[in-house]
Amino acid sequence: ELALRASGQDDHAFPAYHDAMAKVEWETAPGEVLSAHLLTAGDRLRYTHPDSPALTSRYGSHYAWLRWRRGLTSAQRSETVVSWSELDWSRRGEGRSDGFPFRLSDERRLRTLAARTEWARPVGERVHLRAGAEGSLGWARYAYALTRQRLRFEGGRLVAVAGNVDAQLEPERRTAGAFSAAKFRAADNLAVEPSLRFDRLRPGEP
């Protein structure tokens, strides 16, 4: 907004912003806490000028997740998180370009559902075990449409022809992973921690 004022465009550009966050916690049992989180943010921009095309843009991000922690007062601990996220982009414009009318629409969206769990526990005084797993599902949508005219030389003269563009994609993605680790304290000043991890990615068809 300060940059728009400095450039003298604040009479033609109209930005807006917002963000909000909320959190609630429940102590379901001694040493166990269940919490719910929500985060949202976004911005909008509208640009109008008598000598330029009208443009609007919008961006939004929204996140929600549940977190369950157990064993906060003991050496055996675990944590599970389930989350949802959504990102939106939008860009639109219409007016005249090179003397010809045009209209543009650019819409994008990404949604992700994910889950993760992890636990840790000691085995005796010198061995500490950790393990966990995670997975996610992702959906994306892309829609682009441009309606316009352009000049082309045909038959010895210039003619106006349509140069429209239309593209739509809806890909998906699935991921899964797991890990395990064991920490051995061989001496007071020496620890060894071998670990193993597995990851899998399955891209979907658009």
Side-chain angles (χ1 to χ4, degrees):
E1 191 170 354
L2 294 177
L4 292 173
R5 292 180 181 177
S7 61
Q9 299 294 325
D10 55 315
D11 291 336
H12 309 291
F14 307 93
Y17 320 90
H18 77 272
D19 63 82
M21 182 177 181
K23 176 182 176 181
V24 179
E25 285 190 349
W26 298 273
E27 187 174 358
T28 56
E32 296 186 11
V33 175
L34 177 64
S35 58
H37 308 253
L38 178 65
L39 174 63
T40 179
D43 62 74
R44 296 173 181 266
L45 176 64
R46 180 168 57 91
Y47 180 82
T48 57
H49 193 283
D51 301 326
S52 301
L55 303 173
T56 59
S57 67
R58 176 179 56 84
Y59 172 78
S61 59
H62 316 284
Y63 306 91
W65 65 98
L66 291 173
R67 185 185 184 193
W68 186 25
R69 292 174 293 167
R70 304 178 64 188
L72 299 180
T73 59
S74 65
Q76 182 173 336
R77 303 184 307 275
S78 67
E79 179 179 273
T80 301
V81 179
V82 179
S83 63
W84 169 265
S85 64
E86 183 171 326
L87 304 178
D88 293 289
W89 301 266
S90 175
R91 183 169 60 109
R92 294 177 178 268
E94 60 179 330
R96 302 187 72 85
S97 177
D98 298 329
F100 293 99
F102 82 95
R103 177 173 294 178
L104 170 68
S105 175
D106 187 355
E107 304 286 339
R108 310 178 189 190
R109 171 175 290 182
L110 174 62
R111 295 172 293 173
T112 304
L113 175 64
R116 175 181 61 85
T117 184
E118 180 177 343
W119 62 267
R121 62 173 299 176
V123 180
E125 297 182 355
R126 293 185 175 272
V127 180
H128 192 83
L129 302 180
R130 292 190 305 120
E134 60 186 7
S136 68
L137 298 174
W139 304 269
R141 183 178 185 274
Y142 175 67
Y144 181 90
L146 174 62
T147 304
R148 64 176 181 176
Q149 289 181 321
R150 57 187 176 87
L151 291 176
R152 189 167 66 185
F153 193 75
E154 290 184 358
R157 60 191 180 92
L158 289 174
V159 296
V161 296
N164 300 340
V165 179
D166 191 351
Q168 294 192 21
L169 295 172
E170 294 187 3
E172 298 181 359
R173 187 184 70 167
R174 301 178 182 180
T175 66
F179 80 94
S180 62
K183 185 176 182 179
F184 303 92
R185 184 163 296 279
D188 293 340
N189 58 351
L190 177 63
V192 180
E193 186 173 2
S195 61
L196 178 66
R197 182 173 180 88
F198 167 81
D199 289 288
R200 184 178 183 183
L201 170 64
R202 290 186 58 189
E205 295 294 333

